[in-house]
Amino acid sequence: MTVTEQAPTSPLSGGPGLPQERRVVTEIPGPRSRDLHARRTDAVARGVGSVLPVYVAAAGGGVIVDVDGNSLVDLASGIGVTGVGNASPLVVEAVQRQVEAFTHTCFMVAPYAGYVDVCDALAELTPGDHQKKSALFSSGAEAVENAVKIARVASGRDAVVVFDHAYHGRTNLTMAMTAKSMPYKHGFGPFAGEVYRAPMSYPFREPVPISGEEAARRATTMIEKAVGADQVACVVIEPVQGEGGFVVPAPGFLPGLAQWCRTHDVLLVADEIQSGFCRTGDWFGCDQEGVVPDLVTTAKGIAGGLPLAGVTGRADVMDAVHVGGLGGTYGGNPVACAAALGAIRAMREHDLPGRARRLGELMLGRLTALAERTPAVGDVRGRGAMVAIELVRPGTTEPDAALAGRVSAACHAEGVLTLTCGTYGNVLRFLPPLVIGEDLLADAMDVVAEVLAAHA
Ligand code: PLZ
């Protein structure tokens, strides 16, 4: 039987038809995954890692089914991508229609409506009701690079300010903007110049508690003294940091930065690549405090798993760039644009910001209770369905990365796909698809609780 002949509920057809259950039928990874892994080791460069080498056969709703028939609860969403679920019906339908019509013409050669439709949607959904324009790309790093290009042309200035623990990508400029050396930057320099790092608001790790406003002043004072406000093209910040540890800045930090940027004609760029598209319980992470950035970068959740990214911003800023200055062969590929339009429709129809808030309440409730009886859980934080715990040596804030690694590995063995993150590698993060069933999520949280009790 070929894949196309299978009934919608077959374990090999993805999407919501897949049984929504945790099912471990072999050791993890199982024999078929181990065989594939042996082949992979011969064929794929060592530098490309995998968190959990189970090879995927199908995925949908809140589960990933591997080639051995194990069904894992997905608390990763492909690093915050498949918020609408894997093989989401509206995405699949839109993609199928598009691939049958045409797959590529290059928007810079012969344009098509889907690209314009995505830019309209971005203008409507991103923070602020001013006139906005967008340009589309294929990866998050590319969007960040282009936001910097645009900010430099528009401002006539060079300097780019980023923050401690930031993650912005793996290309040369975005490596310079990313904070963590191993594994992202180690040995890959020299890096792009004119990138300056300012102190982040990281409530759990402040030596002395300070407010968001004070943390913003600390950052802007550093910028004024070490860089000079009139040298700065843009300040780039993740409203909730992703790879850096799901760091939620203290309230007042983002508005404080935005105010300073306005005063000094510095462009504020919100990197919403991980926090955007419903993940934090709002359409964008900036919405929580009503911050309106000049430019917003998006990727990941925008297109339900197809590669698409965007820079959206003030029309005057976006239009500062000369004709031909922005682009790329695949940027805004028609199939990826169709996927985005399907995904955005799914987000609207299923009220995924509301779903993210509900999932966040469930997870934060469980994890807060867990923290009360587990001294190794130093902090529980997050917004919407972007939630994490930080593991430490009991009674201190000293990071315990080894514990995070053990807990994550034990969750994997029990059929729950978790990820770690953080500058110190000690943060366990939870990023379920926003369409996951509440019972399945509760089951996965039970596993996390049992594993923590056994290991911490
Ligand atoms: N900005 C805020 O989270 C991607 C990277 C995983 P790309 N984060 C996951 C890894 O180890 O490579 C990310 C992000 C933020 C930019 C990016 C970069 O997006 O699509 O991976 O280029």
Side-chain angles (χ1 to χ4, degrees), residues 59-416:
V63 298
I64 293 178
V65 175
D66 73 10
V67 289
D68 291 290
N70 299 297
S71 174
L72 296 110
V73 184
D74 181 9
L75 299 187
S77 299
I79 322 191
V81 171
T82 51
V84 296
N86 246 297
S88 166
L90 290 174
V91 172
V92 171
E93 198 188 302
V95 165
Q96 278 171 345
R97 240 184 297 119
Q98 182 58 48
V99 284
E100 281 165 15
F102 63 97
T103 49
H104 176 84
T105 56
C106 186
F107 193 75
M108 300 182 305
V109 175
Y112 37 86
Y115 189 117
V116 183
D117 293 339
V118 171
C119 295
D120 281 341
L122 283 166
E124 189 193 331
L125 294 169
T126 53
D129 47 20
H130 52 290
Q131 197 201 345
K132 294 174 215 158
K133 294 195 179 187
S134 296
L136 303 181
F137 305 96
S138 305
S139 71
E142 218 188 333
V144 174
E145 289 246 359
N146 279 282
V148 170
K149 284 164 64 174
I150 295 162
R152 282 179 170 158
V153 169
S155 66
R157 302 172 181 177
D158 294 337
V160 175
V161 173
V162 292
F163 290 84
D164 292 330
H165 314 289
Y167 184 93
H168 298 293
R170 293 175 182 267
T171 58
N172 187 261
L173 174 59
T174 58
M175 272 195 292
M177 297 169 69
T178 289
K180 192 172 176 175
S181 174
M182 190 57 113
Y184 308 121
K185 305 166 72 163
H186 187 81
F188 297 140
F191 304 111
E194 288 308 303
V195 175
Y196 299 89
R197 199 167 302 284
M200 179 63 185
S201 165
Y202 189 162
F204 178 63
R205 298 206 165 271
E206 296 290 358
V208 179
I210 64 170
S211 69
E213 290 81 0
E214 288 167 320
R217 262 199 304 283
R218 176 178 64 189
T220 55
T221 303
M222 176 266 150
I223 300 169
E224 287 174 9
K225 300 303 167 198
V227 192
D230 62 355
Q231 304 297 300
V232 181
C234 58
V235 168
V236 184
I237 186 156
E238 299 155 86
V240 176
Q241 286 184 324
E243 306 306 303
F246 279 27
V247 177
V248 185
F253 181 69
L254 291 175
L257 287 181
Q259 180 60 50
W260 181 88
C261 285
R262 261 193 307 279
T263 306
H264 296 278
D265 283 329
V266 169
L267 296 166
L268 180 65
V269 182
D271 180 345
E272 294 264 16
I273 288 165
Q274 194 155 159
S275 56
F277 282 105
C278 314
R279 177 55 58 185
T280 63
D282 290 295
W283 278 91
F284 290 92
C286 280
D287 291 334
Q288 167 94 5
E289 291 188 271
V291 168
V292 178
D294 301 292
L295 297 174
V296 177
T297 57
T298 52
K300 291 190 185 277
I302 190 176
L306 273 84
L308 188 72
V311 181
T312 302
R314 275 168 44 193
D316 59 318
V317 175
M318 294 298 293
D319 277 348
V321 179
H322 48 278
V323 175
L326 303 175
T329 305
Y330 293 116
N333 166 273
V335 182
C337 286
L341 296 170
I344 291 168
R345 210 178 124 199
M347 292 176 214
R348 287 193 160 117
E349 285 183 6
H350 304 305
D351 178 27
L352 291 190
R355 285 308 306 158
R357 287 195 294 275
R358 170 78 187 137
L359 299 178
E361 277 165 26
L362 286 175
M363 290 191 285
L364 282 178
R366 292 296 302 272
L367 295 168
T368 306
L370 199 61
E372 275 160 19
R373 55 176 196 270
T374 319
V377 179
D379 195 24
V380 179
R381 58 175 177 256
R383 207 184 271 160
M386 188 169 179
V387 167
I389 56 178
E390 184 156 348
L391 299 177
V392 294
R393 302 210 187 281
T396 74
T397 58
E398 203 189 312
D400 194 344
L403 178 60
R406 283 200 304 278
V407 168
S408 203
C411 287
H412 298 169
E414 297 295 327
V416 177

Side-chain angles (χ1 to χ4, degrees), residues 429-441:
R429 60 173 151 172
F430 307 103
L431 279 169
L434 305 178
V435 296
I436 193 173
E438 293 185 11
D439 291 347
L440 192 64
L441 183 60

